[in-house]
Amino acid sequence: MPLSDELRDVPVEFHCPVCSYPTVRKGSWLKTIGSFKCDGCETKVRIGYEEKLTIFEHHLRKR
């Protein structure tokens, strides 16, 4: 299942798996990154395709 282009310009919220700090970025950003630095705990978090699918599916269900 591909990541939806429907969320390209939509703010998407997801949480750091270490500290649960919320991060909000556009769907286009989330589609292209492989890791990010959490603003809460400053941990480098790897985010794989399966995690991205879960985040996108969760956000689409909320709409």
Side-chain angles (χ1 to χ4, degrees):
M1 174 179 182
L3 295 172
S4 173
D5 280 334
E6 186 177 337
L7 300 177
R8 180 172 206 61
D9 295 319
V10 176
V12 176
E13 180 178 272
F14 54 99
H15 298 267
C16 173
V18 176
C19 72
S20 298
Y21 187 84
T23 299
V24 179
R25 298 284 193 272
K26 286 186 177 181
S28 59
W29 178 86
L30 186 58
K31 284 177 74 168
T32 60
I33 57 112
S35 64
F36 69 99
K37 182 178 171 185
C38 174
D39 291 335
C41 66
E42 298 189 0
T43 300
K44 182 178 179 180
V45 178
R46 172 154 167 48
I47 186 161
Y49 191 75
E50 293 298 319
E51 290 89 1
K52 292 177 187 183
L53 279 176
T54 301
I55 293 166
F56 271 58
E57 287 172 3
H58 176 73
H59 191 77
L60 286 169
R61 276 187 297 224
K62 285 180 17 180
R63 295 179 100 198

